[in-house]
Amino acid sequence: MATIGFLPDTVPNSFVTVPISFVAAVQVTTFRALVDSAYNTTMTTGNLRSLSQALFHRIANGNKAAGTRAINFGSVILGFVAGAILGAGMSEVLENRAVWVAAAMLVVALLLFVIDERVEHPR
C-alpha cells in the first residue's frame, strides 16, 4: 500500500485499484470478530444492522449484553466516520500520498493483532 503513494498521477487506475482491493480482502479475512460478534472492517452496512439489532434487544428486552454489543458496534461505526473524515482531509492535503496514512494505520492494526495473538488469554 505504501508504494502506491510513490506512483505518479499518470499511472493507470488499475495499478492502484488492484493492490488496494487485495489489501481490503486480506483485511476482511484477518479482522473478522469484534469481541464475540462478527463484523466487517471494510464496509459498515452490516455493522449498522448489528448496531440496530443490539439496540432493539437492549431496549425491548432489557438485555444488558446486547447493550454492550451496541456500544461496541457504535464505536466501530464512529471509527468509520472518523476514518472517512481523516481520509478526506488527508486527500486534500497529501493528494495521492494520503495512502501512506492508511498504510500506517494498517501496520499498527496488524501489530496489535500479532501482539494479541501471542498473549495468552484466560479461557
Side-chain angles (χ1 to χ4, degrees):
M1 285 269 294
T3 58
I4 292 170
F6 292 104
L7 297 175
D9 292 343
T10 56
V11 169
N13 289 339
S14 61
F15 284 95
V16 174
T17 305
V18 171
I20 289 176
S21 298
F22 176 75
V23 169
V26 170
Q27 180 180 332
V28 165
T29 60
T30 304
F31 306 105
R32 298 180 306 225
L34 176 64
V35 184
D36 63 346
S37 303
Y39 85 117
N40 194 312
T41 60
T42 59
M43 53 191 152
T44 195
T45 309
N47 298 331
L48 284 168
R49 180 196 50 80
S50 297
L51 170 65
S52 301
Q53 186 178 27
L55 278 174
F56 172 80
H57 286 295
R58 175 63 178 122
I59 293 167
N61 304 329
N63 185 331
K64 290 185 180 186
T68 301
R69 274 193 309 280
I71 291 169
N72 290 342
F73 279 102
S75 299
V76 167
I77 292 165
L78 286 175
F80 270 92
V81 171
I85 292 168
L86 177 66
M90 291 296 97
S91 293
E92 286 289 321
V93 173
L94 300 174
E95 296 175 349
N96 291 353
R97 309 311 179 246
V99 72
W100 293 338
V101 176
M105 293 172 78
L106 286 172
V107 167
V108 169
L110 183 60
L111 288 173
L112 291 172
F113 178 77
V114 168
I115 290 167
D116 185 60
E117 287 295 309
R118 292 181 182 213
V119 172
E120 266 191 53
H121 297 284
R123 304 260 175 215

